[in-house]
Amino acid sequence: MNKQTKILGISGSLRRESYNSAALRAAAGLAPEGAIVETFELDDIPAFNQDEESNPPAKVTELKRRVREADAILFVTPEYNYSVPGVLKNAIDWASRPYGDSAWNGKPAAIMGASVGALGTARAQYHLRQMFVFLNVFAVNQPEVMISNAAQRFDAEGNLTDETTKDYIRQLLRSLVDLTQRMRPDAK
Ligand SMILES: Cc1cc2nc3c(=O)[nH]c(=O)nc-3n(C[C@H](O)[C@H](O)[C@H](O)COP(=O)(O)O)c2cc1C
Protein backbone atom coordinates (compact mmCIF):
# COMPACT_ATOMS: atom_id res chain seq x y z
CA MET A 1 0.00 0.00 0.00
CA ASN A 2 1.34 3.44 -0.87
CA LYS A 3 2.10 5.71 2.06
CA GLN A 4 2.48 9.47 2.07
CA THR A 5 6.09 10.64 2.42
CA LYS A 6 6.25 12.83 5.49
CA ILE A 7 8.96 15.52 5.29
CA LEU A 8 9.81 17.50 8.41
CA GLY A 9 10.95 21.03 7.53
CA ILE A 10 13.22 22.92 9.93
CA SER A 11 14.13 26.58 9.43
CA GLY A 12 17.31 27.79 11.13
CA SER A 13 15.98 31.32 11.60
CA LEU A 14 13.84 32.59 14.48
CA ARG A 15 13.33 35.97 12.80
CA ARG A 16 9.67 36.95 12.37
CA GLU A 17 10.10 37.93 8.73
CA SER A 18 12.69 35.26 7.96
CA TYR A 19 13.31 34.49 4.29
CA ASN A 20 14.25 30.96 5.26
CA SER A 21 11.01 30.36 7.13
CA ALA A 22 9.22 31.90 4.15
CA ALA A 23 11.05 29.51 1.82
CA LEU A 24 9.96 26.62 4.03
CA ARG A 25 6.34 27.79 3.84
CA ALA A 26 6.69 27.93 0.07
CA ALA A 27 8.12 24.39 0.04
CA ALA A 28 5.01 23.12 1.79
CA GLY A 29 3.02 24.23 -1.24
CA LEU A 30 5.49 22.80 -3.76
CA ALA A 31 5.75 19.21 -2.51
CA PRO A 32 5.08 16.51 -5.10
CA GLU A 33 1.91 14.48 -4.96
CA GLY A 34 2.15 11.87 -2.23
CA ALA A 35 4.43 13.99 -0.05
CA ILE A 36 3.66 16.42 2.75
CA VAL A 37 5.95 19.04 4.32
CA GLU A 38 5.34 19.70 8.03
CA THR A 39 7.37 22.13 10.11
CA PHE A 40 9.10 22.18 13.48
CA GLU A 41 9.88 25.56 15.09
CA LEU A 42 13.23 25.85 16.86
CA ASP A 43 12.18 28.61 19.27
CA ASP A 44 12.50 27.97 23.02
CA ILE A 45 15.26 25.37 22.76
CA PRO A 46 17.85 26.19 25.42
CA ALA A 47 21.58 26.05 24.80
CA PHE A 48 22.90 22.51 24.75
CA ASN A 49 24.28 21.25 28.03
CA GLN A 50 25.70 17.76 28.06
CA ASP A 51 24.73 17.40 31.74
CA GLU A 52 21.11 17.41 30.56
CA GLU A 53 21.44 15.19 27.49
CA SER A 54 19.87 12.12 29.11
CA ASN A 55 16.99 14.18 30.51
CA PRO A 56 16.56 16.90 27.88
CA PRO A 57 14.03 19.76 27.88
CA ALA A 58 10.54 18.84 26.66
CA LYS A 59 11.02 20.75 23.42
CA VAL A 60 14.06 18.63 22.58
CA THR A 61 12.17 15.42 23.34
CA GLU A 62 9.46 16.68 20.98
CA LEU A 63 12.05 17.50 18.30
CA LYS A 64 13.53 14.00 18.51
CA ARG A 65 10.06 12.45 18.29
CA ARG A 66 9.11 14.54 15.26
CA VAL A 67 12.40 13.75 13.51
CA ARG A 68 11.94 10.03 14.14
CA GLU A 69 8.33 10.13 12.91
CA ALA A 70 9.35 11.85 9.67
CA ASP A 71 10.41 9.91 6.60
CA ALA A 72 12.82 12.70 5.61
CA ILE A 73 14.08 16.09 6.77
CA LEU A 74 14.21 19.41 4.90
CA PHE A 75 16.80 21.75 6.44
CA VAL A 76 16.33 25.40 5.50
CA THR A 77 19.37 27.26 6.71
CA PRO A 78 20.41 30.90 6.80
CA GLU A 79 24.13 31.65 6.67
CA TYR A 80 25.60 33.42 9.69
CA ASN A 81 29.26 34.41 9.47
CA TYR A 82 29.88 31.88 6.72
CA SER A 83 28.31 28.99 8.65
CA VAL A 84 25.14 27.47 10.08
CA PRO A 85 23.35 29.64 12.67
CA GLY A 86 23.89 28.59 16.26
CA VAL A 87 20.15 28.02 16.67
CA LEU A 88 20.19 25.26 14.07
CA LYS A 89 23.49 23.75 15.18
CA ASN A 90 22.21 23.73 18.77
CA ALA A 91 19.06 21.83 17.77
CA ILE A 92 21.10 19.37 15.70
CA ASP A 93 23.42 18.80 18.66
CA TRP A 94 20.58 18.18 21.13
CA ALA A 95 18.82 15.71 18.85
CA SER A 96 22.09 13.85 18.21
CA ARG A 97 22.54 12.95 21.87
CA PRO A 98 23.05 10.98 24.04
CA TYR A 99 25.59 9.03 22.04
CA GLY A 100 23.88 6.08 20.41
CA ASP A 101 20.44 7.71 20.58
CA SER A 102 20.66 10.24 17.74
CA ALA A 103 17.33 11.01 16.09
CA TRP A 104 19.12 11.88 12.83
CA ASN A 105 20.76 8.51 12.24
CA GLY A 106 20.02 7.18 8.76
CA LYS A 107 17.60 9.94 7.76
CA PRO A 108 17.32 11.13 4.18
CA ALA A 109 17.52 14.92 3.99
CA ALA A 110 17.54 17.89 1.67
CA ILE A 111 19.11 21.29 2.19
CA MET A 112 18.13 24.71 0.96
CA GLY A 113 18.78 28.22 2.22
CA ALA A 114 18.15 31.89 1.56
CA SER A 115 20.52 34.77 2.07
CA VAL A 116 20.50 38.45 1.25
CA GLY A 117 23.98 37.95 -0.19
CA ALA A 118 25.16 36.71 -3.56
CA LEU A 119 26.13 33.16 -2.56
CA GLY A 120 22.77 32.10 -1.17
CA THR A 121 24.05 30.24 1.95
CA ALA A 122 26.53 28.07 -0.02
CA ARG A 123 29.11 28.09 2.77
CA ALA A 124 26.56 27.25 5.48
CA GLN A 125 25.15 24.44 3.35
CA TYR A 126 28.55 22.80 2.97
CA HIS A 127 29.10 22.98 6.72
CA LEU A 128 25.75 21.28 7.18
CA ARG A 129 26.79 18.55 4.73
CA GLN A 130 29.96 18.05 6.77
CA MET A 131 27.86 17.49 9.92
CA PHE A 132 25.80 14.93 8.03
CA VAL A 133 28.84 12.69 7.66
CA PHE A 134 29.04 12.14 11.41
CA LEU A 135 25.26 12.20 11.87
CA ASN A 136 24.84 9.51 9.17
CA VAL A 137 22.29 11.69 7.37
CA PHE A 138 21.98 11.04 3.63
CA ALA A 139 21.53 14.31 1.77
CA VAL A 140 20.24 14.90 -1.72
CA ASN A 141 23.19 16.22 -3.73
CA GLN A 142 21.32 18.07 -6.46
CA PRO A 143 19.78 20.47 -7.09
CA GLU A 144 21.59 22.77 -4.70
CA VAL A 145 18.98 25.34 -3.76
CA MET A 146 20.91 28.45 -2.77
CA ILE A 147 18.53 31.40 -2.80
CA SER A 148 20.71 34.47 -3.27
CA ASN A 149 19.54 38.09 -3.09
CA ALA A 150 16.50 36.91 -1.15
CA ALA A 151 14.98 40.37 -0.79
CA GLN A 152 14.27 40.29 -4.53
CA ARG A 153 12.63 36.85 -4.54
CA PHE A 154 9.95 37.30 -1.88
CA ASP A 155 7.18 39.88 -1.70
CA ALA A 156 6.45 42.08 1.34
CA GLU A 157 4.17 39.38 2.81
CA GLY A 158 6.90 36.75 2.63
CA ASN A 159 5.53 34.92 -0.39
CA LEU A 160 8.12 33.40 -2.71
CA THR A 161 7.52 35.10 -6.04
CA ASP A 162 10.53 33.93 -8.07
CA GLU A 163 9.42 31.17 -10.44
CA THR A 164 12.94 29.83 -11.04
CA THR A 165 13.42 29.35 -7.30
CA LYS A 166 10.04 27.62 -7.05
CA ASP A 167 11.14 25.19 -9.78
CA TYR A 168 14.37 24.42 -7.94
CA ILE A 169 12.45 23.73 -4.73
CA ARG A 170 10.05 21.44 -6.61
CA GLN A 171 13.03 19.52 -8.04
CA LEU A 172 14.70 19.33 -4.63
CA LEU A 173 11.58 17.87 -3.00
CA ARG A 174 11.12 15.43 -5.89
CA SER A 175 14.73 14.28 -5.42
CA LEU A 176 14.20 13.97 -1.67
CA VAL A 177 11.11 11.82 -2.15
CA ASP A 178 12.96 9.65 -4.69
CA LEU A 179 15.89 9.19 -2.30
CA THR A 180 13.53 8.39 0.58
CA GLN A 181 11.72 5.80 -1.48
CA ARG A 182 14.97 4.19 -2.56
CA MET A 183 16.13 4.04 1.06
CA ARG A 184 12.80 3.02 2.56
CA PRO A 185 10.56 1.06 0.23
CA ASP A 186 7.70 1.33 2.76
CA ALA A 187 7.69 5.13 2.38
CA LYS A 188 6.33 4.92 -1.20
C1 LIG B 1 24.81 37.25 12.62
C2 LIG B 1 24.59 37.35 11.13
C3 LIG B 1 25.58 36.89 10.28
C4 LIG B 1 25.36 36.90 8.90
N1 LIG B 1 26.31 36.36 8.08
C5 LIG B 1 26.03 36.19 6.76
C6 LIG B 1 26.90 35.43 5.93
O1 LIG B 1 27.91 34.92 6.34
N2 LIG B 1 26.55 35.29 4.62
C7 LIG B 1 25.40 35.82 4.10
O2 LIG B 1 25.14 35.66 2.90
N3 LIG B 1 24.54 36.54 4.87
C8 LIG B 1 24.83 36.73 6.19
N4 LIG B 1 23.96 37.42 7.00
C9 LIG B 1 22.78 38.04 6.40
C10 LIG B 1 21.65 37.04 6.24
O3 LIG B 1 21.71 36.47 4.93
C11 LIG B 1 20.30 37.72 6.40
O4 LIG B 1 20.22 38.31 7.69
C12 LIG B 1 19.14 36.78 6.19
O5 LIG B 1 17.95 37.53 6.12
C13 LIG B 1 19.05 35.75 7.33
O6 LIG B 1 18.05 34.80 7.07
P1 LIG B 1 16.54 34.98 7.57
O7 LIG B 1 15.91 36.04 6.71
O8 LIG B 1 15.92 33.63 7.32
O9 LIG B 1 16.54 35.36 9.02
C14 LIG B 1 24.16 37.44 8.38
C15 LIG B 1 23.19 37.92 9.27
C16 LIG B 1 23.40 37.86 10.62
C17 LIG B 1 22.31 38.35 11.55
Side-chain angles (χ1 to χ4, degrees):
M1 193 176 75
N2 282 357
K3 172 181 172 288
Q4 200 172 46
T5 301
K6 196 197 283 189
I7 300 168
L8 184 66
I10 300 174
S11 165
S13 176
L14 303 184
R15 198 168 72 86
R16 268 189 305 280
E17 297 186 359
S18 161
Y19 294 119
N20 287 278
S21 301
L24 175 52
R25 286 196 301 278
L30 297 169
E33 201 181 320
I36 182 170
V37 177
E38 300 178 343
T39 59
F40 187 87
E41 314 274 346
L42 296 184
D43 54 332
D44 297 331
I45 297 185
F48 177 74
N49 178 345
Q50 197 179 355
D51 291 338
E52 309 297 330
E53 68 177 11
S54 294
N55 186 25
K59 186 82 192 249
V60 171
T61 303
E62 189 192 345
L63 171 62
K64 291 181 77 171
R65 179 181 61 78
R66 294 283 306 280
V67 169
R68 287 189 161 119
E69 280 175 8
D71 298 305
I73 311 296
L74 173 62
F75 289 92
V76 190
T77 186
E79 180 171 281
Y80 280 4
N81 298 311
Y82 283 18
S83 191
V84 173
V87 162
L88 180 56
K89 179 66 163 62
N90 185 55
I92 289 171
D93 291 345
W94 269 119
S96 72
R97 300 294 300 179
Y99 184 76
D101 190 39
S102 169
W104 308 112
N105 187 30
K107 286 284 170 191
I111 304 171
M112 61 184 200
S115 142
V116 297
L119 292 186
T121 74
R123 294 157 293 216
Q125 291 197 26
Y126 292 130
H127 283 183
L128 197 48
R129 284 183 191 274
Q130 181 174 321
M131 290 174 218
F132 288 172
V133 175
F134 186 71
L135 294 170
N136 197 34
V137 165
F138 297 90
V140 167
N141 281 325
Q142 292 167 9
E144 294 183 292
V145 181
M146 296 165 173
I147 308 172
S148 58
N149 305 311
Q152 295 161 36
R153 303 187 199 276
F154 294 84
D155 68 17
E157 282 74 48
N159 301 301
L160 178 61
T161 51
D162 185 71
E163 291 300 326
T164 305
T165 304
K166 285 186 195 176
D167 278 344
Y168 277 123
I169 294 174
R170 277 192 202 97
Q171 288 175 43
L172 181 70
L173 294 173
R174 180 73 260 164
S175 297
L176 179 59
V177 170
D178 287 349
L179 174 65
T180 304
Q181 291 181 352
R182 284 203 300 277
M183 289 175 63
R184 300 181 179 190
D186 66 326
K188 277 183 192 155

